[in-house]
Amino acid sequence: MRFLYSLTPSLLLLAAGAAQAASSWGFADATVSVNSKKGAGTGSKEKFSVKAPLSQPVVLGTTDSLKILLTAQEDGKDKRPHQAFVVLQEPTTGLEAPFPLTVKESGKATVEIKQSELPVQLAASTAPLKASIVLASFGSSEGLNTPIFDVEIKTDPTASPVVYEKPLRYGKQEEIHHIFRDDPKSPPKVISLAFVLAVVATVPALFVGWLALGANVSHLSKALSDAPLAHGVFFGSIIAMEGVFFMYYVSWNLFQTLPVAGIVGTATFLSGAKALGEVQSRRLAGER
Amino acid sequence: MRSLLSVLVFLFIAVVQAVSSSGDRLLVILEDDAEKAGYSKFLGDLESRGFEITYETPKSESLSLFHLGERSYDHVLLLPTKSKGLGPNLTPNILLDFINANGNILLTLSSSTPAPTSIVSLLLELDIHLPPDRQGLVVDHFNYDTSSASETHDVLLLPSPGPLRPGLKDFFSPVSEDGNLLAFPHGMGQTLGQGALLSPILRAPATAYSYNPKEQSEVVDDLFAAGQQLSLVSTMQARNSARFTVVGSAEMLSDQWFDAKVKKLGEKSAVKTLNRAFAKQVSGWTFKEIGVLRVNWVEHHLNEEGMSNASNPKIYRIKNDVKYSISLSEYSWDKYIPFEVPESDALQLEFSMLSPFHRLQLTPQISSSDSTYSVAFTLPDQHGIFNFKVNYKRPFFSNIEEKHTVSVRHFAHDEWPRSFVISGAWPWMAGIGATVTGWLAFCAIWLYSAPSAAKKNQ
């Protein structure tokens, strides 16, 4: 009772099929032809059968259409099956596209497949497509599913190629590793050292030049005896200021540096009046 | 008294949690209360797994999926109904709202009754397509049950589906001992759109096709779909991880096909169907008893010697070495178990500002009670606001999108290498030294130099 609804439409076939138990589906008078759109046609019309599938692939151009004609048979008798498909399969992905044949009551079946009608995944295929024929129907007759030929898709080299964009699928993605910028580079150490030497050499050169011009420190003892504290503190504070700068470079921050620099600077200022006064007195005495 | 009450409440919560990860209130919609009997085993299995089942017909006036804006049920099972629509309480909009409110729906179709318009519109919304005229029957003249459908070929026999793609966990393949088969009787196939949220569980064999038994009984003039393109059991997992499953054949879940004996074309002996185990897996997945992921904790810290390695700091410096760990669990029927990433799949961490700078594979450390995934890496040399992002979306697993924001700052002025270790700076440092020496010597000479002999002679 439960199956009655689906049984009714196929009652006719049932009655026919029940008679022969181990019958099977097949086809005869099968031909395949490739027709170009311009009507001229490549003229290729080849016969094939279940036992003799075509060994050479059928070449399908951009504007061509593939036409398959055959007569479906059940146990050698012409008959209309319910399922009559030409299935094109992309061999690398296994993707299939069925094309139903238009079947007449007599079993004569035909289908025309244009290249533009192919799904984009098949049209973009580089490997030849595998074409097979599926003929089957209700009842006990055994269905037929047999490969018949390969189809080679020829694309127009001047036209823009068919591009298949894969739809988004969730999955793991390519790893990304950040490319770091290069570290700053220094010139070769030899060059740096050569320039260091050149720079350091200016100091003795300066001293030699000064000595050649007659520079000396002969008044040191006189100055120290006239104003020992002022001169000691003044010159000492100038050296100390350089020391403050050195400490700032090595470890101190600005807030440690500024008070010390202030103290040293005040000492310079206060002792400077006296020490520079002594220098002036020597100048006024004509000793400079 | 109060403590007793709290213990009771606790027990109640414990019982609720033992069912599904998202609640136990299941609404079953069917044409007639009497139809329950046909699915008694399936519904009994659901009840024994702890679901509280409410039965309603679409015509019932008390039927409402929402009460005061909250879901009244956690899951809905729709069995085939004869009416053309599903009434004002089950419009496509309400069903979509139910999915948006994190409710799960298991929808069953049948070739014997046209799908209600409400269902067709709902499926269209989700990019699942039914055959035209809301009616279709899947037949396969090569894989049918010879004992029950030797003429009509509409009881498909299929092996366990196996994983959808490599790298996905196989939730829907019941263990079969002796080549057991799934029976798919009198079903309606669907085709799926391109969306990433849709995934088929069970696809039709290559020779199957769908036709309209009313109009195409003689000849298939307009083919709806055939072969692998025809999905027999399909799923949609929304972005909020709400689940929606379409089972093309309601009879697949009926008592008659649970443990029925079937005989495939060309086989000699009859085998038992796997439908009961398959129904458990499909309903268990749909009602969130399996494949639900949970993030237990996320931790990241500095991975450098001699520096503080406090957990989850707000700020890092560029080029810091950092370690990130995430702990995940998977719900399996009644408890959370450590989550293992399927083979040839990977859990990945993205360290991103607008676009990912790093996308790295997390390596697992799995013990019996916990599974932790971690990776150690160096932060990019770019400052800004970055995210540690784990975006694990896979078919059949609930979505994980874990985002933790941190600042990445520049080097501070005292973190750079000192100038004396940079050989290129040496001439300049020598220059400063020469200047200082020269200045001190100049001061000394200016202060203490006696007039030279040449000047005296002037």
Side-chain angles (χ1 to χ4, degrees), chain A residues 99-270:
Chain A
F99 293 89
L101 293 151
T102 317
V103 196
K104 292 204 181 104
E105 197 87 52
S106 60
K108 282 207 181 341
T110 167
V111 69
E112 194 168 352
I113 305 166
K114 289 191 193 117
Q115 198 194 350
S116 53
E117 286 171 1
L118 291 178
V120 61
Q121 296 94 328
L122 298 191
S125 163
T126 47
L129 307 176
K130 293 194 180 310
S132 53
I133 284 214
V134 182
L135 294 177
S137 197
F138 302 103
S140 56
S141 282
E142 208 179 300
L144 174 83
N145 184 3
T146 180
I148 44 172
F149 50 79
D150 288 358
V151 181
E152 204 178 302
I153 302 291
K154 206 169 73 183
T155 46
D156 188 354
T158 54
S160 53
V162 188
V163 183
Y164 170 57
E165 227 173 85
K166 274 196 172 176
L168 172 76
R169 288 287 173 266
Y170 291 141
K172 73 172 170 186
Q173 289 174 285
E174 289 267 310
E175 281 192 34
I176 298 174
H177 293 273
H178 181 65
I179 298 166
F180 288 85
R181 275 181 283 257
D182 291 337
D183 284 330
K185 273 190 223 144
S186 284
K189 280 191 183 156
V190 184
I191 294 176
S192 298
L193 287 172
F195 279 93
V196 168
L197 277 180
V199 170
V200 170
T202 56
V203 176
L206 179 70
F207 286 4
V208 168
W210 279 345
L211 286 174
L213 291 170
N216 58 66
V217 285
S218 313
H219 278 170
L220 180 60
S221 53
K222 186 177 181 337
L224 282 180
S225 63
D226 281 359
L229 189 68
H231 268 295
V233 171
F234 183 66
F235 196 70
S237 69
I238 291 173
I239 296 172
M241 191 57 107
E242 299 302 330
V244 169
F245 288 141
F246 180 73
M247 287 312 290
Y248 179 53
Y249 169 67
V250 172
S251 62
W252 285 357
N253 60 33
L254 202 59
F255 300 102
Q256 290 168 303
T257 309
L258 284 178
V260 180
I263 292 165
V264 173
T266 314
T268 315
F269 181 74
L270 293 178

Side-chain angles (χ1 to χ4, degrees), chain B residues 331-371:
Chain B
Y331 197 76
S332 172
W333 298 110
D334 52 2
K335 63 185 181 302
Y336 278 101
I337 56 168
F339 169 64
E340 269 182 71
V341 168
E343 222 173 288
S344 82
D345 190 13
L347 187 68
Q348 291 174 317
L349 168 74
E350 286 182 357
F351 193 69
S352 60
M353 176 167 66
L354 298 180
S355 60
F357 280 59
H358 276 299
R359 189 187 289 127
L360 304 165
Q361 200 156 325
L362 291 156
T363 44
Q365 274 176 318
I366 296 167
S367 68
S368 56
S369 59
D370 182 54
S371 65

